[in-house]
Amino acid sequence: IPEAIESILLKGSRVEPRVALLKPISSAISIGSGGPFGAEGPIIMTGGAFGSIVAQLFRLTGAERKTLLVAGAAAGMSATFAAPVAAALLAVELLLFEWKPRSLVPVALASATAAIVRPHLLGSGPLFPVAPHDAAMSGPAIGACVACGLLAGGLSALLTVSVYAFEDLFAKLPIHWMWWPAIGGVVVGVGGLVYPRALGVGYDLIQDLLRGNLAVPALLLLIVTKWTMWSASLGSGTSGGVLAPLLILGAALGGLESHWFPDEGLGFWPLVSMGAVLGGTMRSPFTGVIFTLELTHDLDALLPLLLAVTCAHGFTVLVLRRSILTEKVSRRGFHLSREYSTDPLEILFVREVMGSEIAAIPASLNRDQIVASLGGKRRGHRLFAVVDEA
């Protein structure tokens, strides 16, 4: 996803055609061989590459290239998770940097089209069905949702720091960067020996976590192993996504919390916690809420998710300068603001900002004459127009 952001903001939404071919191949190898990643990141970039290639073939404008790139990315995520609304939200929160019909309409239609086609290829229904939960919440449960969000925010911050700590560590190695993913693969292999279920995408593992099938020792071992494997391999530059690992780590944290928090039903706290970790780590709160709802189809979890995800997002905003996605772009020397705002130049008239009293200075005057003409007063001016006969 950082590569998609960089393409949009710094490269005019131009993606090289080879990305559409090499990205899925490299990701298939890294994930298929046990890499602790999700498939959504590469699919988002691959879909974006196809959109960008189409735009370049038809020689469209920069804004139109961005729209098609993001439309392809949203369609890829929608097809992967059967989450069309969350895919459109992720596009708005992470990639579009605007909320305008010219971009939102094509992106939403692309996401919906992928969702329509998906059942015929991959099956229908929620990806992680859960038992329904009671919509009514007690006071202790509401407080526990806040605590869940804060704990998820703390985990999100630590995950972000650990990924870039490994990246810094690899950068200090006296070997060519081509060998870094191989070293990351060794870490993955050792982690697989310690806890084999931590290997791969782990969708079946997420389902077991939501069903409460793992005991406390297994949850702790899963968190430590998956965290280390994912941070090391991602920091080494291996190709893979972040969504599925965040869902696993968040659900595992929720599994631990379910032993101390109020009993709200089977899988309730893993569900809430995985949404909170996702929203906190990616700094995309609305995506975290809607994405979790679409993955589970448990609409009664809307209120607790809103509480927990918002708290997690607020926590990471306070303790981290950037998210796990924007930090990579920043490390390449580019400032990136994720704050959603309107460009003031689009809503101001020239007459509202122009200066009507201009202090003009003839080019023939010397310094002493200029000082004398001003009389020691700059009249609020910081800049002066220097003019000659022409």
Side-chain angles (χ1 to χ4, degrees):
I1 296 179
E3 282 73 21
I5 295 175
E6 184 174 353
S7 297
I8 292 170
L9 294 180
L10 308 174
K11 300 178 181 179
S13 301
R14 291 183 175 89
V15 180
E16 297 182 15
R18 62 181 179 178
V19 173
L21 175 64
L22 297 179
K23 196 68 173 178
I25 293 177
S26 63
S27 302
I29 294 173
S30 63
I31 297 172
S33 61
F37 303 111
E40 69 292 326
I43 288 174
I44 286 173
M45 192 58 195
T46 302
F50 279 118
S52 177
I53 291 170
V54 171
Q56 293 176 63
L57 287 176
F58 286 94
R59 297 182 179 180
L60 302 182
T61 65
E64 291 166 338
R65 282 198 305 270
K66 178 181 71 172
T67 297
L68 284 184
L69 187 156
V70 177
M77 179 178 171
S78 175
T80 305
F81 291 106
V85 180
L89 278 176
L90 181 136
V92 170
E93 289 192 304
L94 291 181
L95 301 176
L96 283 177
F97 297 96
E98 66 178 16
W99 186 287
K100 295 181 179 179
R102 71 178 185 187
S103 53
L104 180 62
V105 171
V107 169
L109 291 178
S111 179
T113 302
I116 292 170
V117 175
R118 185 189 191 279
H120 303 288
L121 300 176
L122 303 174
S124 58
L127 203 61
F128 308 119
V130 297
H133 298 103
D134 191 357
M137 297 186 65
S138 62
I142 294 175
C145 285
V146 175
C148 176
L150 295 176
L151 290 173
L155 178 60
S156 299
L158 292 174
L159 289 172
T160 302
V161 170
S162 64
V163 167
Y164 289 103
F166 273 107
E167 189 173 282
D168 293 337
L169 182 63
F170 278 106
K172 295 178 182 178
L173 295 178
I175 58 176
H176 193 275
W177 57 263
M178 180 185 71
W179 299 106
W180 297 355
I183 299 174
V186 173
V187 177
V188 172
V190 174
L193 291 174
V194 175
Y195 194 82
R197 296 199 67 187
L199 293 170
V201 176
Y203 290 162
D204 58 334
L205 182 57
I206 296 174
Q207 189 66 71
D208 282 344
L209 289 168
L210 292 172
R211 292 173 179 171
N213 293 340
L214 275 68
V216 171
L219 291 171
L220 290 172
L221 186 60
L222 170 62
I223 291 176
V224 174
T225 307
K226 188 76 173 182
W227 184 348
T228 304
M229 292 166 55
W230 178 67
S231 300
S233 52
L234 202 62
S236 70
T238 306
S239 179
V242 301
L243 294 185
L246 292 178
L247 295 176
I248 291 174
L249 291 169
L253 176 63
L256 293 175
E257 294 168 347
S258 62
H259 290 82
W260 292 278
F261 287 0
D263 185 9
E264 293 294 320
L266 182 64
F268 178 83
W269 293 113
L271 183 155
V272 174
S273 181
M274 76 178 189
V277 169
L278 180 68
T281 306
M282 298 181 66
R283 297 266 185 98
S284 304
F286 292 121
T287 299
V289 173
I290 303 302
F291 188 47
T292 307
L293 291 180
E294 289 192 297
L295 287 177
T296 61
H297 284 199
D298 186 5
L299 294 179
D300 290 335
L302 176 59
L303 176 59
L305 276 171
L306 187 61
L307 283 172
V309 173
T310 302
C311 291
H313 177 256
F315 185 93
T316 56
V317 168
L318 290 175
V319 300
L320 293 177
R321 295 181 61 187
R322 303 176 184 90
S323 74
I324 195 172
L325 303 179
T326 57
E327 175 68 21
K328 183 175 289 292
V329 180
S330 175
R331 284 174 171 235
R332 294 171 182 170
F334 303 102
H335 174 69
L336 177 60
S337 174
R338 282 281 312 280
E339 300 298 328
Y340 185 78
S341 60
T342 302
D343 185 354
L345 298 183
E346 292 187 354
I347 59 176
L348 291 176
F349 291 99
V350 172
R351 64 173 179 265
E352 296 174 354
V353 294
M354 68 178 291
S356 57
E357 295 183 3
I358 305 299
I361 297 175
S364 59
L365 296 186
N366 59 35
R367 184 177 183 276
D368 293 335
Q369 292 172 321
I370 293 173
V371 173
S373 65
L374 293 177
K377 299 179 181 179
R378 299 185 63 178
R379 299 187 298 171
H381 285 283
R382 292 181 296 166
L383 301 175
F384 298 87
V386 180
V387 298
D388 57 16
E389 292 78 5

